[in-house]
Amino acid sequence: RIRAMMSFLIPEKVLKAMTDAKSLENLVSHFEQTLYRNEFRELELLNSKTIERALLKNLVNTYEKILRMSPKEAIPVLNCISKEYEIMLIKDILAAKIESNINEKEVKERSFMLSDKIKVILPQIIESQDMEETIRSFDRTEYRNILKTGYESYLETSTIMPFIMAFFDHFYAVKQK
């Protein structure tokens, strides 16, 4: 299994060619010669965001394979890693809500990074009218207390930083266990 997964690694020669690429089209042409080709064939628009999204999608798929093959004692560590990606997207959504600049299409395109519990409440999060309503959307999730803590400080600053710090404090404490 490990040898099969290692075939997904990009050979050094191809990596060198990628770093020397003069355009996004040239870069993507190198990815199309690898096992990443499927993610890149699906791209409708070519820019740094869509390339990043394709790579993240591949990472999530690979991660899920690793999770299925891993011994049970490794699952808690792997789950912690997946939570970091989910939190990254939640922070991006909160930042967009604060700036009144939420892009529903982009959020939905990135929703493959979310757990099923968060996917269910995603429409409610997107449609919420203010930050208080957005935070209430998370009431039945594991993020409830973290976001409520961040919200208290958000009321004073109106910035994303209190939420970032609340997530940081929570995960620092979890990783110390």
Side-chain angles (χ1 to χ4, degrees):
R1 287 183 184 175
I2 291 173
R3 282 193 191 115
M5 295 291 288
M6 286 179 71
S7 69
F8 280 87
L9 296 175
I10 298 172
E12 189 174 337
K13 191 172 162 182
V14 176
L15 277 175
K16 173 76 172 117
M18 287 176 167
T19 59
D20 292 341
K22 302 288 186 221
S23 67
L24 291 178
E25 291 82 5
N26 188 249
L27 174 67
V28 169
S29 72
H30 292 294
F31 274 112
E32 289 174 346
Q33 297 170 25
T34 69
L35 292 173
Y36 295 87
R37 71 180 68 80
N38 293 333
E39 285 82 0
F40 284 91
R41 286 186 183 145
E42 294 173 6
L43 295 181
E44 293 175 18
L45 182 65
L46 189 59
N47 60 40
S48 60
K49 278 189 175 185
T50 57
I51 291 171
E52 179 182 8
R53 199 170 299 122
L55 291 170
L56 277 174
K57 191 171 187 177
N58 180 278
L59 178 65
V60 168
N61 291 337
T62 302
Y63 175 79
E64 288 172 351
K65 286 178 194 172
I66 291 169
L67 198 58
R68 285 191 302 272
M69 296 184 322
S70 296
K72 287 182 178 156
E73 55 273 6
I75 302 300
V77 173
L78 293 170
N79 282 337
C80 189
I81 294 168
S82 67
K83 288 294 174 202
E84 288 185 45
Y85 285 101
E86 182 168 79
I87 287 169
M88 179 176 69
L89 182 53
I90 291 171
K91 288 188 293 189
D92 289 350
I93 292 169
L94 293 175
K97 293 295 280 186
I98 289 169
E99 297 168 7
S100 300
N101 188 24
I102 190 128
N103 182 328
E104 183 175 348
K105 183 181 178 202
E106 186 176 322
V107 170
K108 286 183 177 177
E109 286 175 355
R110 292 176 63 196
S111 68
F112 64 86
M113 295 171 57
L114 298 172
S115 64
D116 290 340
K117 284 183 180 179
I118 303 300
K119 284 179 187 175
V120 167
I121 64 170
L122 195 55
Q124 183 181 348
I125 294 166
I126 291 170
E127 294 168 12
S128 60
Q129 298 301 307
D130 58 32
M131 190 53 71
E132 183 178 8
E133 188 179 343
T134 302
I135 301 307
R136 270 198 319 269
S137 301
F138 288 90
D139 275 353
R140 292 195 171 121
T141 72
E142 66 187 285
Y143 303 114
R144 176 180 185 256
N145 293 333
I146 300 166
L147 291 171
K148 287 195 185 278
T149 299
Y151 183 69
E152 293 167 10
S153 297
Y154 164 79
L155 291 173
E156 298 170 18
T157 66
S158 298
T159 68
I160 188 66
M161 193 53 73
F163 297 110
I164 292 172
M165 294 308 297
F167 276 121
F168 178 79
D169 290 346
H170 171 75
F171 269 88
Y172 182 73
V174 168
K175 286 183 178 182
Q176 293 299 312
K177 290 181 181 178

